[in-house]
Amino acid sequence: MVAFTDSGERLVGQLARRQGVLNPKGTISSAKRFIGRRHEEIKTEANQVSYDVTTGPEGAVRFGVRGKQYAPEEIGAQVLRKLVDDASKRLGEKVTDAVITVPAYFNDAQRQATKAAGRIAGLNVLRIIKEPTAAALAYGLDKKGHETVLVFDLGGGTFDVSILDVGDGVVEVRSTAGDTHLGGDDFDRRLVDHLAQEFQRDNGIDLRTDPQALQRLYEAAEKAKTELSS
């Protein structure tokens, strides 16, 4: 998440998320769903977000925030910059090179746009690799004998399943499928709706019409989900 506040400040990550309900038009989430795509391709996604998605040069996607236009790559760069700054602080040294992962279903335009986001963030992007491949490498599966592996990837906004051939130092994605609108955010939304409906039934008040009440409800739902999960 990246937020643009009234005072002109830019917030990334948890800070952006905390003020998202109170600043829906200025808070951009899941920019990855739009990166490297044309406006005509994203009508469904555009209808499911609270911020304004507009058309840029040559039919490209742009986000309209406080009278300015931002490309998905620019928003992606803000997220990458924050990750790099956090890593640099932890390591005690400057990070300049990066390998960036993308969903297995990303096409070449989406991959190139992700690379561009890395460059905007000031990174030397060594390679773009598929997320299930990264998972297999992280587990050291390429060091073992030949196997067929299923990678189950459930994130904040998406759910993907990939079949991989692994062995002899090579990881190859054979097949991938999934739901680009099924993840942690969607679970939170279902919990919020359930709680709000119960409260409305008992008290006759819909908490979802009050931005501050909705913000608190989202935070409580996510916290409950996290605690139950562990």
Side-chain angles (χ1 to χ4, degrees):
M1 280 202 178
V2 175
F4 300 83
T5 66
D6 289 331
S7 60
E9 194 180 4
R10 290 189 185 187
L11 306 172
V12 181
Q14 287 293 348
L15 290 175
R17 188 169 193 197
R18 283 190 199 120
Q19 54 79 74
V21 173
L22 301 176
N23 176 25
K25 291 286 186 185
T27 305
I28 297 172
S29 59
S30 301
K32 190 168 87 171
R33 291 178 180 176
F34 300 97
I35 200 163
R37 301 177 72 190
R38 297 173 62 78
H39 191 266
E40 65 202 33
E41 301 172 346
I42 52 85
K43 295 226 169 20
T44 304
E45 287 87 348
N47 290 332
Q48 293 174 332
V49 295
S50 57
Y51 49 89
D52 295 327
V53 183
T54 61
T55 309
E58 299 178 5
V61 175
R62 290 291 182 271
F63 305 131
V65 183
R66 303 187 191 282
K68 290 187 177 178
Q69 299 278 308
Y70 297 94
E73 293 90 324
E74 293 177 88
I75 303 302
Q78 297 277 331
V79 175
L80 290 170
R81 186 73 258 158
K82 171 80 164 66
L83 290 170
V84 167
D85 289 345
D86 288 350
S88 297
K89 283 175 193 159
R90 181 67 183 266
L91 296 168
E93 60 182 273
K94 194 175 180 192
V95 174
T96 54
D97 297 344
V99 174
I100 305 177
T101 64
V102 295
Y105 57 80
F106 260 26
N107 61 29
D108 189 58
Q110 291 168 300
R111 292 164 71 94
Q112 291 305 320
T114 304
K115 209 168 188 177
R119 284 198 295 269
I120 294 168
L123 291 167
N124 174 30
V125 182
L126 301 173
R127 186 171 292 192
I128 300 286
I129 63 171
K130 295 172 182 177
E131 285 164 3
T133 302
L137 292 171
Y139 274 91
L141 295 174
D142 55 316
K143 307 286 192 299
K144 298 179 181 177
H146 190 272
E147 292 182 61
T148 301
V149 179
L150 182 140
V151 176
F152 180 104
D153 179 4
L154 185 60
T158 64
F159 167 52
D160 305 303
V161 174
S162 301
I163 302 291
L164 278 61
D165 270 350
V166 184
D168 303 325
V170 177
V171 179
E172 187 177 356
V173 178
R174 283 290 181 195
S175 179
T176 191
D179 187 335
T180 53
H181 301 104
L182 175 62
D185 297 345
D186 303 282
F187 297 157
D188 294 345
R189 200 171 298 119
R190 287 295 181 93
L191 280 168
V192 165
D193 283 337
H194 172 71
L195 294 168
Q197 283 159 8
E198 294 276 302
F199 190 86
Q200 188 173 13
R201 190 188 67 200
D202 295 342
N203 301 281
I205 299 166
D206 187 354
L207 297 173
R208 290 165 295 191
T209 58
D210 180 333
Q212 285 181 311
L214 185 61
Q215 178 80 45
R216 292 179 67 184
L217 201 53
Y218 260 101
E219 287 172 3
E222 187 191 12
K223 190 178 178 189
K225 178 192 72 175
T226 304
E227 287 176 358
L228 285 165
S229 299
S230 58

